[in-house]
Amino acid sequence: MITKLRLKNWKSFKDSTLYIDPLTILIGINASGKSNVLDALDFLKNVVTSNSRLIDTIEQTRGGKDWLIKRGEKQCELEITLKDFDDECICAVQIFNKDGGFIYERHIIELNGVKCETPDLKDGDNMLRLFQQTSDGLTIAEKMAHFEQVISEDLKNLFVFNPVPEKMRGYSPVSSELKPDGSNIAGVIASLPKDEKEKLEAELTKYVSPLPEKDIRKIQSVTVGLNNSDAMLYCYEDWNPDKPIDARGMSDGTLRFAAIVLALLTAKPHSLLVIEEIDNGLHPSRAKELVKVMKELSQKRSVDILCTTHNPVLINELGNDMIPFISYVKRDNEGNSVIELLEEKDNLAKLMASSTIGGIMTEDKL
């Protein structure tokens, strides 16, 4: 699993590290650089797993080629730290801008705290070191080859999710893979075998039901057409339990919340789910339900969650025991984005003596 992301000359960052835990919250004022962190993860997934040309992957990233590398620099580097049981490796993805053209390189640069140099046939000692056995009987070269697979798999399963309610209101094709905008949630539910579909709908209903003023009794996906190739999302509410409403009549908050719950219920175990502005469209009074869902499903399904928020109510609902897992992004005196751990802020105890974490965030004291 991915445990760290280091950004070097990436967009607004000069050199900063994000620590990723089972539930990681990223906060910061507008234009501090939060979205640039999420862009880095999305780019890593695409550049490692996509068959597209490098320039196409770069142009698909927010800001495109003009904003990928920090202004005044010729290259950027994204380092990810991954753990696989007792082993840990650091992989560096480098992008070079040479005369307007872009070059991509990827290397494992460290394995279990030992620097890994590129094998050089002229360097006999280095080649010999790569084939020395470690304590578990594998050579360093074998472990590096294993981690190449781990890196590809972890980045393939990484999911940057930003559900857009407006795109979720229509019929969606029956499909097995959830789209990044959540537009096909009905199709994903409908694609499952009957028993699995009913179980998923029951779980979805359980987590989403307390969201509106009156409880939702049931959420269901129904296929349509001669070939049952499309689906529509329906919900039964206590207001009128005999007449379900389809996605066209559901609120933005309900649709977005349902999509986030579905993403957590269908994500592969030991994967990373990344959500920008997780509480967008959600009433502050429902922040408690969102926190409950994130904590419960993250633990239950072994899915790590990284999300950004501007909502002080949500931050307060997390509780003080979550302080070690909150990072904040700010600009330094030179305009570089910097990620800092909330628990390491010098005067945090003094600030908390007179306010909550959400209050400190609202008063811009971080």
Side-chain angles (χ1 to χ4, degrees):
M1 297 181 75
I2 301 172
T3 59
K4 291 181 195 175
L5 170 67
R6 184 178 180 184
L7 308 102
K8 300 167 71 174
N9 293 331
W10 170 266
K11 294 196 170 188
S12 58
F13 288 90
K14 184 177 180 63
D15 190 350
S16 203
T17 300
L18 172 72
Y19 296 88
I20 300 175
D21 296 289
L23 177 55
T24 306
I25 311 296
L26 194 61
I27 60 177
I29 63 174
N30 295 329
S32 59
K34 299 189 304 300
S35 295
N36 291 343
V37 177
L38 274 54
D39 288 342
L41 289 166
D42 198 30
F43 176 79
L44 277 171
K45 174 176 181 172
N46 293 333
V47 79
V48 171
T49 63
S50 173
N51 292 323
S52 301
R53 296 183 308 159
L54 175 62
I55 188 61
D56 293 334
T57 302
I58 290 174
E59 289 293 14
Q60 289 168 7
T61 304
R62 190 172 55 94
K65 62 183 177 63
D66 293 332
W67 294 99
L68 193 80
I69 300 176
K70 191 176 185 300
R71 287 299 174 95
E73 303 292 340
K74 292 295 184 180
Q75 70 179 70
C76 65
E77 182 175 313
L78 298 173
E79 289 182 7
I80 50 172
T81 301
L82 304 98
K83 290 204 72 172
D84 185 54
F85 297 101
D86 293 330
D87 292 321
E88 181 180 83
C89 92
I90 300 177
C91 174
V93 170
Q94 298 171 312
I95 305 296
F96 302 88
N97 184 352
K98 292 191 176 181
D99 302 321
F102 290 86
I103 300 172
Y104 157 77
E105 292 184 4
R106 175 179 130 189
H107 307 285
I108 291 178
I109 60 174
E110 189 173 304
L111 181 63
N112 293 333
V114 178
K115 299 293 183 182
C116 297
E117 300 174 6
T118 304
D120 187 342
L121 293 178
K122 297 179 182 179
D123 187 346
D125 290 339
N126 188 38
M127 287 296 294
L128 182 62
R129 183 179 63 83
L130 287 173
F131 290 97
Q132 287 178 338
Q133 285 191 340
T134 58
S135 59
D136 55 7
L138 297 175
T139 65
I140 293 176
E142 287 173 330
K143 287 201 171 190
M144 289 176 67
H146 168 71
F147 261 108
E148 289 290 353
Q149 295 179 333
V150 171
I151 293 163
S152 296
E153 191 66 22
D154 281 3
L155 290 176
K156 178 183 177 182
N157 292 333
L158 187 156
F159 190 36
V160 180
F161 194 44
N162 184 23
V164 182
E166 193 58 35
K167 295 184 178 182
M168 299 161 58
R169 298 190 184 283
Y171 292 95
S172 66
V174 174
S175 52
S176 59
E177 188 171 338
L178 187 61
K179 292 183 178 179
D181 60 7
S183 59
N184 65 333
I185 62 170
V188 169
I189 297 170
S191 71
L192 298 171
K194 183 180 178 181
D195 290 348
E196 292 182 35
K197 175 177 177 292
E198 291 176 352
K199 182 180 178 181
L200 181 61
E201 288 172 339
E203 286 194 272
L204 192 60
T205 301
K206 180 181 75 172
Y207 289 110
V208 179
S209 62
L211 197 64
E213 191 173 349
K214 288 287 186 178
D215 283 358
I216 292 174
R217 292 190 172 188
K218 185 178 182 180
I219 292 180
Q220 184 179 23
S221 176
V222 179
T223 55
V224 297
L226 291 175
N227 298 319
N228 292 322
S229 58
D230 294 287
M232 171 62 77
L233 194 69
Y234 290 86
C235 76
Y236 295 78
E237 295 182 315
D238 277 348
W239 297 109
N240 197 347
D242 297 325
K243 292 184 178 180
I245 61 172
D246 61 37
R248 293 172 297 179
M250 295 167 67
S251 73
D252 284 3
T254 300
L255 284 171
R256 186 173 165 85
F257 191 77
I260 291 170
V261 173
L262 180 66
L264 282 165
L265 290 172
T266 57
K268 290 187 177 181
H270 311 296
S271 63
L272 174 61
L273 177 63
V274 181
I275 309 172
E276 187 164 15
E277 302 301 339
I278 191 166
D279 56 308
N280 191 15
L282 194 67
H283 193 274
S285 65
R286 297 302 187 261
K288 184 176 182 179
E289 298 299 331
L290 179 57
V291 170
K292 177 184 175 182
V293 166
M294 287 194 296
K295 287 183 175 180
E296 187 173 322
L297 287 181
S298 172
Q299 183 176 16
K300 179 180 178 181
R301 303 210 64 254
S302 298
V303 174
D304 289 352
I305 304 171
L306 166 63
C307 62
T308 66
T309 182
H310 285 119
N311 187 350
V313 178
L314 178 69
I315 295 298
N316 288 338
E317 286 292 347
L318 288 168
N320 288 348
D321 60 332
M322 278 295 295
I323 288 176
F325 310 110
I326 299 175
S327 294
Y328 63 99
V329 187
K330 66 176 187 178
R331 298 277 186 159
D332 64 16
N333 293 333
E334 297 179 354
N336 301 311
S337 293
V338 179
I339 304 169
E340 297 189 1
L341 288 167
L342 181 60
E343 68 174 348
E344 294 183 357
K345 185 168 179 60
D346 291 338
N347 59 341
L348 181 62
K350 182 178 180 181
L351 290 171
M352 289 184 64
S354 59
S355 185
T356 62
I357 297 299
I360 295 169
M361 185 177 76
T362 302
E363 295 159 16
D364 194 19
K365 293 182 177 179
L366 292 176

